[in-house]
Amino acid sequence: MANHSQFGFQDASSPIMEELVQFHDHALMVALAICSLVLYLLTIMLTQKLSSNTVDAQAIELIWTILPAAVLITLALPSLRILYMMDEINQPDLTLKAIGHQWYWTYEYTDLKDLTFDSYMTPTTELPLGHFRLLEVDHRVIVPTDSTIRVIVTADDVLHSWAVPSLGVKTDAIPGRLNQTSFLTPRPGVYYGQCSEICGANHSFMPIVVEAVPLANFESWSTLTTS
C-alpha cells in the first residue's frame, strides 16, 4: 500500500516484484556512475587545458566505444532474465479470469464450479471505518498463499489494464483477446491496485483488491461461496 509522499516502490509482496525492485536499484547505480563520470569529465574540460595528445588519443576513442557497450550489457542481461521470468507460467495452481467492464471487474475461478462474481468499488457513503477510499471493493479476489496464480485478462467493451503494483502485475485487458500473467505471494495480506488504462469517465473508480489467505482458509471460502 502506497503512503503519502512516497517516492519509491511499494513493498514487494511477490518474488517477481522483488526482482523488479532489485533491478531498479541496479539500474539507478549504473545511472549514478554514468552521471558522476560525465560530471567529472565536464569539470576537467572546463578547468584544465587539454593537450592535442589527449584530444587525438586512440585509447580514449577505444574506451568510449567499449564502455557504453559494457554498460548496456550490464543492463540488458538482468532485464532479459526478469522478462523471461515474468512470461514463464509453469503448472499454475489456480487460474483466475479477470474481465474488465465500464467500470467494474468480473472474476471467474475457472478451476472451480460456478464461482463468478462482479467487483465494484465501495461508495464512500458505504465505506467501513478504517478502509481505503476509492480503493476498497464489495467483493475481493481471494487467492491462496504459496500458490502460483495464473490470471487471464480480457475486456468486454474498451481497453482496461489489470494492475497490482505490490505483486508486480500489470496486464492490458483488450476486447477479443486473452492476455495472461501470473503471481505468487508467500504471505497473507491485502494488496490494492487500479485499472491502469484510461477507459472512460469513471476510469479512476474501478479498483482491484487481492486478498491472499492460507490454503485452508481459501478452501473454506470457496466451499461457502459455491454452496
Side-chain angles (χ1 to χ4, degrees), residues 65-180:
T65 301
I66 295 178
L67 188 59
V71 170
L72 290 177
I73 291 174
T74 60
L75 292 176
L77 292 181
S79 175
L80 290 173
R81 171 177 169 269
I82 296 176
L83 283 174
Y84 278 106
M85 289 174 60
M86 295 175 67
D87 195 51
E88 191 70 22
I89 303 175
N90 290 323
Q91 297 180 348
D93 300 305
L94 179 69
T95 298
L96 172 71
K97 186 176 182 181
I99 306 172
H101 307 272
Q102 289 181 311
W103 289 272
Y104 64 96
W105 294 95
T106 297
Y107 296 103
E108 300 177 2
Y109 289 77
T110 58
D111 297 324
L112 304 174
K113 185 179 179 180
D114 298 329
L115 184 48
T116 303
F117 56 85
D118 296 331
S119 180
Y120 290 85
M121 185 192 73
T122 303
T124 305
T125 55
E126 303 175 9
L127 194 66
L129 185 64
H131 288 232
F132 297 105
R133 177 177 171 270
L134 302 182
L135 288 177
E136 194 55 69
V137 295
D138 56 355
H139 293 95
R140 293 177 173 179
V141 177
I142 310 297
V143 297
T145 57
D146 294 318
S147 302
T148 302
I149 312 299
R150 176 175 60 183
V151 185
I152 299 176
V153 184
T154 186
D156 186 53
D157 37 41
V158 298
L159 291 176
H160 299 279
S161 184
W162 201 81
V164 183
S166 59
L167 297 177
V169 174
K170 184 179 185 295
T171 303
D172 288 341
I174 304 173
R177 177 173 177 175
L178 297 177
N179 291 330
Q180 70 174 359

Side-chain angles (χ1 to χ4, degrees), residues 41-62:
L41 294 177
L42 285 175
T43 304
I44 291 179
M45 292 179 64
L46 293 174
T47 56
Q48 298 183 14
K49 183 178 180 180
L50 299 179
S51 64
S52 59
N53 293 333
T54 303
V55 175
D56 299 332
Q58 294 183 354
I60 291 182
E61 294 182 2
L62 186 63

